[in-house]
Coordinates of all heavy atoms in Angstrom, one line a residue:
G139 N 155.4 102.3 47.4 CA 154.9 101.3 46.5 C 155.4 99.9 46.9 O 155.7 99.6 48.1
E140 N 155.6 99.0 45.9 CA 156.1 97.7 46.2 C 157.6 97.7 46.6 O 158.4 98.3 45.9 CB 155.8 96.7 45.0 CG 154.3 96.4 44.8 CD 154.1 95.3 43.9 OE1 155.1 94.8 43.3 OE2 153.0 94.9 43.6
V141 N 157.9 97.0 47.6 CA 159.3 96.8 48.1 C 159.7 95.4 48.1 O 159.0 94.5 48.7 CB 159.4 97.4 49.5 CG1 160.9 97.2 50.0 CG2 159.1 98.9 49.5
E142 N 160.7 95.0 47.4 CA 161.2 93.6 47.3 C 161.9 93.4 48.7 O 162.7 94.1 49.1 CB 162.1 93.5 46.1 CG 161.5 93.6 44.8 CD 160.5 92.5 44.5 OE1 160.7 91.4 45.0 OE2 159.5 92.8 43.7
L143 N 161.5 92.2 49.2 CA 162.0 91.9 50.6 C 163.3 91.1 50.5 O 164.1 91.1 51.5 CB 161.0 91.1 51.4 CG 159.7 91.9 51.7 CD1 158.7 91.0 52.3 CD2 160.0 93.1 52.5
G144 N 163.5 90.3 49.5 CA 164.7 89.4 49.4 C 164.7 88.4 50.6 O 163.7 87.9 51.0
A145 N 165.9 88.3 51.2 CA 166.1 87.3 52.3 C 165.3 87.8 53.5 O 164.9 86.9 54.4 CB 167.6 87.2 52.6
L146 N 165.1 89.1 53.7 CA 164.3 89.6 54.8 C 162.9 89.0 54.8 O 162.3 88.9 55.9 CB 164.2 91.1 54.8 CG 163.6 91.8 55.9 CD1 164.3 91.5 57.2 CD2 163.5 93.3 55.7
G147 N 162.4 88.6 53.7 CA 161.0 88.0 53.6 C 160.9 86.7 54.4 O 159.8 86.5 54.9
L148 N 162.0 86.0 54.5 CA 162.0 84.7 55.3 C 161.7 85.1 56.8 O 160.9 84.4 57.4 CB 163.3 84.0 55.2 CG 163.6 83.4 53.8 CD1 165.0 82.9 53.7 CD2 162.6 82.3 53.4
A149 N 162.4 86.1 57.3 CA 162.3 86.4 58.7 C 160.9 87.0 59.0 O 160.3 86.7 60.0 CB 163.4 87.4 59.1
I150 N 160.4 87.9 58.1 CA 159.1 88.5 58.2 C 158.0 87.5 58.2 O 157.1 87.5 59.0 CB 158.9 89.6 57.2 CG1 159.8 90.7 57.4 CG2 157.4 90.0 57.2 CD1 159.8 91.8 56.3
T151 N 158.1 86.5 57.3 CA 157.1 85.4 57.2 C 157.1 84.6 58.5 O 156.0 84.3 59.0 CB 157.4 84.5 56.0 OG1 157.5 85.3 54.8 CG2 156.3 83.4 55.8
L152 N 158.2 84.2 59.0 CA 158.3 83.4 60.2 C 157.7 84.2 61.3 O 156.9 83.6 62.1 CB 159.7 83.0 60.5 CG 160.0 82.2 61.8 CD1 159.3 80.9 61.7 CD2 161.5 82.0 62.0
F153 N 158.1 85.4 61.5 CA 157.6 86.3 62.6 C 156.1 86.4 62.4 O 155.4 86.3 63.4 CB 158.2 87.6 62.5 CG 157.7 88.6 63.6 CD1 158.1 88.5 64.9 CD2 156.7 89.5 63.2 CE1 157.7 89.4 65.8 CE2 156.2 90.4 64.2 CZ 156.7 90.3 65.5
W154 N 155.5 86.6 61.2 CA 154.1 86.8 61.0 C 153.4 85.5 61.4 O 152.3 85.6 62.2 CB 153.8 87.2 59.6 CG 152.4 86.9 59.2 CD1 152.0 86.0 58.3 CD2 151.2 87.6 59.7 NE1 150.6 86.0 58.2 CE2 150.1 87.0 59.1 CE3 151.0 88.6 60.6 CZ2 148.8 87.4 59.3 CZ3 149.7 89.0 60.9 CH2 148.6 88.4 60.2
I155 N 153.8 84.4 60.9 CA 153.0 83.1 61.2 C 153.0 82.8 62.7 O 151.9 82.5 63.3 CB 153.6 82.0 60.3 CG1 153.4 82.2 58.8 CG2 152.9 80.7 60.7 CD1 154.0 81.2 58.0
V156 N 154.2 82.9 63.3 CA 154.2 82.6 64.7 C 153.5 83.6 65.5 O 152.8 83.3 66.5 CB 155.7 82.4 65.2 CG1 155.8 82.3 66.7 CG2 156.4 81.2 64.5
G157 N 153.7 84.9 65.1 CA 153.0 86.0 65.9 C 151.5 85.9 65.8 O 150.8 86.1 66.8
C158 N 151.0 85.7 64.6 CA 149.5 85.6 64.4 C 149.0 84.4 65.1 O 147.9 84.5 65.8 CB 149.2 85.5 62.9 SG 147.4 85.5 62.6
T159 N 149.7 83.3 65.1 CA 149.2 82.1 65.8 C 149.1 82.4 67.3 O 148.1 82.0 67.9 CB 150.2 80.9 65.6 OG1 150.3 80.6 64.2 CG2 149.7 79.7 66.3
N160 N 150.1 83.0 67.9 CA 150.0 83.3 69.3 C 149.0 84.4 69.6 O 148.4 84.4 70.7 CB 151.4 83.8 69.8 CG 152.3 82.6 70.1 OD1 152.1 81.8 71.0 ND2 153.4 82.3 69.3
A161 N 148.9 85.4 68.8 CA 147.9 86.5 69.0 C 146.5 85.9 69.1 O 145.7 86.3 70.1 CB 148.0 87.5 67.9
V162 N 146.1 85.0 68.2 CA 144.8 84.4 68.3 C 144.7 83.5 69.6 O 143.7 83.5 70.3 CB 144.5 83.6 67.0 CG1 143.2 82.8 67.1 CG2 144.5 84.5 65.8
N163 N 145.8 82.8 69.9 CA 145.8 82.0 71.1 C 145.6 82.8 72.3 O 144.9 82.5 73.3 CB 147.1 81.2 71.1 CG 147.1 80.2 72.2 OD1 146.2 79.6 72.6 ND2 148.3 80.0 72.8
F164 N 146.4 83.9 72.4 CA 146.4 84.7 73.6 C 145.0 85.4 73.9 O 144.6 85.6 75.0 CB 147.5 85.8 73.5 CG 148.9 85.3 73.6 CD1 149.9 86.1 73.1 CD2 149.2 84.1 74.1 CE1 151.2 85.7 73.2 CE2 150.5 83.6 74.2 CZ 151.5 84.5 73.7
M165 N 144.3 85.7 72.8 CA 143.1 86.4 72.9 C 141.9 85.5 73.2 O 140.8 86.0 73.4 CB 142.8 87.2 71.6 CG 143.7 88.4 71.4 SD 143.4 89.7 72.5 CE 141.8 90.3 72.0
D166 N 142.1 84.2 73.2 CA 141.0 83.3 73.5 C 140.8 83.1 75.0 O 141.2 82.1 75.6 CB 141.3 81.9 72.8 CG 140.2 80.9 73.0 OD1 139.0 81.4 73.0 OD2 140.4 79.7 73.2
G167 N 140.3 84.2 75.6 CA 140.0 84.1 77.0 C 138.7 84.6 77.4 O 138.4 84.9 78.6
M168 N 137.8 84.7 76.5 CA 136.4 85.2 76.7 C 135.4 84.4 75.9 O 135.6 84.2 74.7 CB 136.3 86.7 76.5 CG 134.9 87.3 76.7 SD 134.9 89.1 76.7 CE 135.7 89.5 78.2
D169 N 134.3 84.1 76.4 CA 133.3 83.3 75.7 C 132.9 84.0 74.4 O 132.5 85.1 74.4 CB 132.0 83.2 76.6 CG 132.3 82.4 77.9 OD1 133.3 81.8 78.1 OD2 131.4 82.5 78.8
G170 N 133.0 83.2 73.3 CA 132.5 83.6 72.0 C 133.4 84.6 71.3 O 133.1 84.9 70.1
L171 N 134.4 85.3 72.0 CA 135.1 86.3 71.3 C 135.9 85.9 70.1 O 135.7 86.3 69.0 CB 136.0 87.1 72.4 CG 136.6 88.4 71.9 CD1 136.9 89.3 73.1 CD2 137.9 88.2 71.1
V172 N 136.9 85.0 70.3 CA 137.8 84.6 69.2 C 137.0 83.7 68.2 O 137.2 83.9 67.0 CB 139.0 83.9 69.8 CG1 139.7 83.1 68.7 CG2 139.9 84.9 70.5
A173 N 136.2 82.9 68.7 CA 135.4 82.0 67.8 C 134.6 82.8 66.8 O 134.5 82.5 65.6 CB 134.5 81.0 68.6
G174 N 133.9 83.9 67.3 CA 133.1 84.7 66.5 C 134.0 85.5 65.5 O 133.6 85.6 64.3
V175 N 135.1 86.0 65.9 CA 136.0 86.7 65.1 C 136.5 85.8 63.9 O 136.6 86.2 62.8 CB 137.2 87.3 65.9 CG1 138.3 87.9 64.9 CG2 136.7 88.5 66.8
V176 N 136.9 84.6 64.3 CA 137.4 83.6 63.3 C 136.3 83.3 62.3 O 136.6 83.2 61.1 CB 138.0 82.4 64.0 CG1 138.3 81.3 63.0 CG2 139.2 82.7 64.8
L177 N 135.1 83.1 62.8 CA 134.0 82.8 61.9 C 133.7 84.0 60.9 O 133.7 83.7 59.7 CB 132.7 82.6 62.7 CG 131.4 82.3 61.9 CD1 131.6 81.1 60.9 CD2 130.2 82.1 62.8
V178 N 133.7 85.2 61.4 CA 133.5 86.3 60.5 C 134.6 86.5 59.5 O 134.4 86.7 58.3 CB 133.3 87.6 61.3 CG1 133.2 88.8 60.4 CG2 132.0 87.6 62.1
S179 N 135.8 86.4 60.0 CA 137.0 86.5 59.2 C 137.1 85.5 58.1 O 137.5 85.7 57.0 CB 138.3 86.5 60.1 OG 138.2 87.6 61.0
S180 N 136.8 84.2 58.5 CA 136.9 83.1 57.6 C 135.9 83.2 56.4 O 136.2 83.0 55.3 CB 136.8 81.8 58.3 OG 137.7 81.6 59.3
L181 N 134.7 83.6 56.8 CA 133.6 83.9 55.8 C 134.1 85.0 54.8 O 133.9 84.9 53.6 CB 132.3 84.2 56.5 CG 131.6 83.1 57.1 CD1 130.4 83.6 57.9 CD2 131.1 82.0 56.1
A182 N 134.6 86.1 55.4 CA 135.1 87.2 54.5 C 136.2 86.7 53.6 O 136.2 87.1 52.4 CB 135.5 88.3 55.4
L183 N 137.1 85.9 54.2 CA 138.2 85.5 53.4 C 137.8 84.5 52.3 O 138.3 84.6 51.1 CB 139.2 84.8 54.3 CG 140.7 84.6 53.7 CD1 141.3 85.9 53.3 CD2 141.5 83.9 54.8
A184 N 136.8 83.7 52.6 CA 136.2 82.8 51.5 C 135.6 83.6 50.4 O 135.7 83.3 49.2 CB 135.2 81.8 52.1
L185 N 134.9 84.7 50.8 CA 134.2 85.5 49.8 C 135.3 86.2 48.9 O 135.2 86.2 47.7 CB 133.4 86.6 50.5 CG 132.8 87.7 49.5 CD1 131.8 87.0 48.5 CD2 132.0 88.7 50.4
I186 N 136.3 86.7 49.5 CA 137.4 87.4 48.8 C 138.1 86.4 47.9 O 138.4 86.7 46.7 CB 138.4 88.1 49.7 CG1 137.7 89.2 50.5 CG2 139.6 88.5 49.0 CD1 138.5 89.8 51.6
G187 N 138.4 85.2 48.4 CA 139.0 84.2 47.5 C 138.1 83.8 46.3 O 138.6 83.6 45.2
A188 N 136.8 83.8 46.5 CA 135.9 83.5 45.4 C 135.9 84.6 44.4 O 135.9 84.4 43.2 CB 134.4 83.3 46.0
L189 N 135.9 85.8 44.9 CA 135.8 87.0 43.9 C 137.1 87.1 43.2 O 137.1 87.5 42.0 CB 135.6 88.3 44.7 CG 134.3 88.5 45.4 CD1 134.3 89.7 46.3 CD2 133.1 88.5 44.4
E190 N 138.2 86.7 43.8 CA 139.5 86.8 43.1 C 140.0 85.5 42.4 O 141.2 85.5 41.9 CB 140.5 87.3 44.1 CG 140.2 88.7 44.7 CD 140.3 89.8 43.6 OE1 141.2 89.7 42.8 OE2 139.4 90.6 43.6
G191 N 139.2 84.5 42.5 CA 139.7 83.2 41.9 C 140.7 82.5 42.7 O 141.5 81.7 42.1
G192 N 140.8 82.8 43.9 CA 141.8 82.1 44.8 C 141.2 80.8 45.4 O 140.6 80.9 46.5
W193 N 141.4 79.7 44.7 CA 140.7 78.5 45.0 C 141.1 78.0 46.4 O 140.2 77.6 47.2 CB 141.1 77.4 44.0 CG 140.7 77.8 42.6 CD1 141.5 78.3 41.6 CD2 139.4 77.7 42.0 NE1 140.8 78.5 40.5 CE2 139.5 78.2 40.7 CE3 138.1 77.4 42.5 CZ2 138.4 78.3 39.8 CZ3 137.1 77.5 41.6 CH2 137.2 77.9 40.3
F194 N 142.4 77.9 46.7 CA 142.8 77.4 48.0 C 142.3 78.3 49.1 O 141.8 77.8 50.2 CB 144.3 77.3 48.1 CG 144.8 76.8 49.4 CD1 144.7 75.4 49.8 CD2 145.3 77.6 50.3 CE1 145.1 75.0 51.0 CE2 145.8 77.2 51.6 CZ 145.7 75.8 51.9
V195 N 142.4 79.6 49.0 CA 142.0 80.6 50.0 C 140.5 80.5 50.2 O 140.0 80.5 51.3 CB 142.4 82.0 49.7 CG1 141.7 83.0 50.6 CG2 143.9 82.1 49.7
F196 N 139.8 80.3 49.1 CA 138.3 80.2 49.2 C 137.9 78.9 50.0 O 137.1 79.0 51.0 CB 137.6 80.1 47.8 CG 136.2 79.6 47.9 CD1 135.2 80.4 48.3 CD2 135.9 78.3 47.5 CE1 133.9 79.9 48.3 CE2 134.7 77.8 47.5 CZ 133.6 78.6 48.0
A197 N 138.5 77.8 49.6 CA 138.1 76.5 50.2 C 138.6 76.5 51.7 O 137.8 76.1 52.6 CB 138.8 75.3 49.5
A198 N 139.8 76.9 52.0 CA 140.3 76.9 53.3 C 139.4 77.8 54.2 O 139.1 77.5 55.4 CB 141.8 77.3 53.4
G199 N 139.2 79.0 53.7 CA 138.4 79.9 54.5 C 137.0 79.4 54.8 O 136.4 79.5 55.9
L200 N 136.3 78.8 53.7 CA 135.0 78.3 53.9 C 134.9 77.1 54.9 O 134.0 77.1 55.8 CB 134.5 77.8 52.5 CG 133.1 77.2 52.5 CD1 132.0 78.3 52.9 CD2 132.7 76.6 51.1
F201 N 135.9 76.2 54.8 CA 135.9 75.0 55.7 C 136.2 75.4 57.1 O 135.7 74.8 58.1 CB 136.8 74.0 55.2 CG 136.4 73.5 53.8 CD1 137.3 72.9 52.9 CD2 135.0 73.5 53.4 CE1 136.9 72.5 51.7 CE2 134.6 73.0 52.2 CZ 135.6 72.5 51.3
L202 N 137.1 76.4 57.3 CA 137.4 76.9 58.6 C 136.2 77.6 59.2 O 135.8 77.4 60.4 CB 138.5 77.9 58.6 CG 139.2 78.3 59.9 CD1 139.8 77.1 60.7 CD2 140.2 79.4 59.7

Side-chain angles (χ1 to χ4, degrees):
E140 287 191 358
V141 176
E142 295 293 331
L143 297 174
L146 185 60
L148 295 170
I150 293 176
T151 304
L152 178 62
F153 177 81
W154 160 249
I155 295 176
V156 174
C158 182
T159 301
N160 276 293
V162 175
N163 184 35
F164 292 160
M165 289 292 290
D166 183 35
M168 179 173 288
D169 298 349
L171 191 153
V172 166
V175 169
V176 171
L177 176 57
V178 172
S179 300
S180 300
L181 286 173
L183 198 55
L185 173 61
I186 292 169
L189 292 174
E190 296 296 316
W193 301 101
F194 179 77
V195 172
F196 165 76
L200 180 64
F201 298 152
L202 190 63

